[in-house]
């Protein structure tokens, strides 16, 4: 029996596990999937821009228990381990995993195949902002941060969103649609327009939609500094902008940039930004014959955006089944510009 260890319990890891188990049940190669994740529940973070609005979703809708989703499989076919990857030895084919609350307890997991799908985190989270566009290290931590954010959004009168990419415009749009007549929604965009880099018609459409929702859009503007203050017992944030003006808000929501969750991976397998270097088969470069792959936000093949993950997962699962059947894998075709634009339009 081949043991396939998957690091990460979000879309990349869970989706690939389901696909491999489903396909191998038909082709009959004997495999066991082991998912390792610090999150006991899969977080439907695609819904985060709407979920930050109070009363839109229950926790049960956007947090799904990982292990329960595989209950149809026996213990010989599937295992879930709650923990975080601490180190990786690809030569020995071992992963060290922290399982204790303070990372003092560790286990060593052996594997035949390894899939790295540990995703990314928001850059702002390293500054203790904790806006849950991504999971925050544990399911409880993510739930708590989401509940706090919902409460702050509910009482806020002025909300500033920084960053005008897909996440930023969706967040501004959701907030303005719900609260446009009772709250001031301000979008800070560093570029000449929103969705800069998209085809002009897409940017123009998004800009027009936000304007109709009364979003105050500040183009060609950056936040140069921010300071948290308390006035009259009310927490606020004071922002200094690149145009020399000052702006006080009840909450500032950063939506730009992610950092890969790759600290446990030897640096020689990472690019300058910490993303895992992979080839057209998602094999980690330098480990092409070691049965180690990386997909999703943590890899460097495509931009770290949710719209790519499902396609990557489906392709990798198919290739692994081919390899298990002693057949040659198929190279992956990266998404075209048209696919990227379609994904933006669907935001």
């Amino acid at each position: 029996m081949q043991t396939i260890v998957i690091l990460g319990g979000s879309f990349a890891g869970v989706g690939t596990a389901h696909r491999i188990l489903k396909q191998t049940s038909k082709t009959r190669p004997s495999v066991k999937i082991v998912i390792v994740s610090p999150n006991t529940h899969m977080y439907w973070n695609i819904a985060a821009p709407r979920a930050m609005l109070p009363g839109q979703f229950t926790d049960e809708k956007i947090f799904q228990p990982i292990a329960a989703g595989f209950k149809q499989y026996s213990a010989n076919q599937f295992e879930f381990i709650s923990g975080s990857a601490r180190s990786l030895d690809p030569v020995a084919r071992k992963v060290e995993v922290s399982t204790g609350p303070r990372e003092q307890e560790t286990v060593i997991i052996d594997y035949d195949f390894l899939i790295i799908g540990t995703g990314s985190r928001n850059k702002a989270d390293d500054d203790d902002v904790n806006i849950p566009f991504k999971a925050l290290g544990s399911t409880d931590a993510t739930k708590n941060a989401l509940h706090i954010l919902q409460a702050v959004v509910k009482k806020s009168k002025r909300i500033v969103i920084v960053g005008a990419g897909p996440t930023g415009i969706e967040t501004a749009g959701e907030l303005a649609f719900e609260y446009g007549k009772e709250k001031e929604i301000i979008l800070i965009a560093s570029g000449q327009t929103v969705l800069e880099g998209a085809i002009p018609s897409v940017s123009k459409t998004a800009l027009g939609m936000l304007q109709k929702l009364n979003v105050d859009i500040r183009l060609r503007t950056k936040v140069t500094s921010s300071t948290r203050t308390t006035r009259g017992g009310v927490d606020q944030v004071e922002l200094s902008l690149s145009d020399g003006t000052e702006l006080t808000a009840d909450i500032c929501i950063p939506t730009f940039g992610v950092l890969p969750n790759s600290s446990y991976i030897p640096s020689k397998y990472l690019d300058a930004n910490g993303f895992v270097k992979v080839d057209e088969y998602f094999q980690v470069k330098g480990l092409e014959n070691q049965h180690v792959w990386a997909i999703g936000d943590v890899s460097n093949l495509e931009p770290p955006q949710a719209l790519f993950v499902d396609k990557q997962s489906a392709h990798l699962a198919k290739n692994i089944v081919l390899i298990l059947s002693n057949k040659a894998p198929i190279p992956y075709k990266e998404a075209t510009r048209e696919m990227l634009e379609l994904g933006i339009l669907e935001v």
Side-chain angles (χ1 to χ4, degrees):
M1 175 178 285
Q2 302 276 14
T3 299
I4 303 174
V5 172
I6 299 177
L7 303 178
S10 190
F11 296 100
V14 172
T16 306
H18 274 295
R19 287 181 166 109
I20 293 173
L21 287 168
K22 184 176 180 179
Q23 293 177 46
T24 54
S25 67
K26 298 176 182 178
T27 57
R28 300 300 180 187
S30 181
V31 300
K32 178 180 180 179
I33 300 285
V34 179
I35 288 183
V36 178
S37 173
N39 303 290
T40 57
H41 291 59
M42 181 173 165
Y43 175 39
W44 195 261
N45 68 304
I46 292 175
R50 180 179 289 272
M52 69 174 63
L53 278 62
Q56 297 294 314
F57 296 108
T58 62
D59 285 350
E60 290 72 25
K61 287 286 187 180
I62 54 176
F63 294 94
Q64 298 290 322
I66 295 172
F70 293 87
K71 63 183 179 181
Q72 67 270 41
Y73 299 105
S74 69
N76 291 327
Q77 294 174 292
F78 177 80
E79 181 181 359
F80 175 77
I81 296 177
S82 179
S84 301
R86 185 169 179 175
S87 65
L88 168 63
D89 184 347
V91 176
R93 296 193 177 187
K94 296 178 184 294
V95 179
E96 182 183 17
V97 174
S98 298
T99 57
R102 297 183 180 178
E103 298 190 351
Q104 295 174 343
E105 301 173 20
T106 63
V107 296
I108 303 297
I109 303 174
D110 298 301
Y111 64 84
D112 297 299
F113 292 0
L114 178 68
I115 300 172
I116 299 170
T118 42
S120 63
R121 64 190 184 279
N122 301 324
K123 280 185 177 179
D125 289 339
D126 281 7
D127 297 325
D128 197 32
V129 175
N130 292 337
I131 303 295
F133 288 117
K134 302 283 186 179
L136 298 176
S138 74
T139 296
D140 285 343
T142 307
K143 283 184 180 180
N144 290 338
L146 184 58
H147 296 161
I148 291 170
L149 178 59
Q150 290 167 344
V152 173
V153 166
K154 184 176 181 178
K155 68 181 182 181
S156 294
K157 294 299 182 183
R158 176 183 284 170
I159 300 173
V160 173
I161 300 100
V162 183
T167 302
I169 64 167
E170 184 180 2
T171 300
E174 293 284 4
L175 289 166
F177 182 81
E178 185 73 14
Y179 299 118
K181 295 182 180 180
E182 57 185 282
K183 301 180 188 293
E184 185 179 3
I185 310 299
I186 301 173
L187 177 65
I188 305 293
S190 62
Q192 302 290 323
T193 185
V194 300
L195 292 177
E196 195 169 51
I199 57 176
S201 61
V202 173
S203 296
K204 184 178 180 180
T205 298
L207 184 64
M209 292 174 64
L210 292 175
Q211 290 171 335
K212 287 181 180 179
L213 291 169
N214 297 318
V215 176
D216 180 359
I217 304 169
R218 312 282 182 93
L219 300 175
R220 298 177 293 278
T221 305
K222 295 182 179 180
V223 174
T224 57
S225 68
S226 64
T227 305
R228 298 183 188 183
T229 64
T230 301
R231 293 183 178 178
V234 178
D235 292 331
Q236 292 183 314
V237 58
E238 294 182 350
L239 305 173
S240 296
L241 306 182
S242 57
D243 61 5
T245 62
E246 304 288 328
L247 184 62
T248 300
D250 297 299
I251 182 173
C252 177
I253 302 175
T255 67
F256 54 90
V258 296
L259 297 171
N261 295 323
S262 60
S263 60
Y264 61 93
I265 300 172
S267 60
K268 63 182 176 181
Y269 304 117
L270 308 177
D271 67 15
N273 295 312
F275 293 91
V276 182
K277 296 181 289 187
V278 299
D279 63 16
E280 69 272 25
Y281 298 94
F282 298 111
Q283 295 176 118
V284 176
K285 289 184 177 180
L287 297 173
E288 286 83 355
N289 298 316
Q290 297 295 319
H291 289 158
V292 180
W293 300 267
I295 61 171
D297 285 12
V298 77
S299 76
N300 73 342
L301 190 62
E302 291 179 311
Q305 296 178 10
L307 66 98
F308 299 116
V309 176
D310 192 63
K311 183 170 179 279
Q312 293 179 11
S313 170
H315 190 90
L316 178 58
K318 184 181 294 185
N319 270 354
I320 287 179
V321 173
L322 287 173
I323 293 169
L324 289 167
S325 302
N326 296 314
K327 297 178 181 179
I330 301 168
Y332 176 79
K333 294 182 180 179
E334 294 182 51
T336 63
R337 179 181 175 86
E338 289 74 18
M339 287 179 62
L340 178 58
E341 303 298 353
L342 178 61
I344 291 174
L345 281 168
E346 290 177 344
V347 167

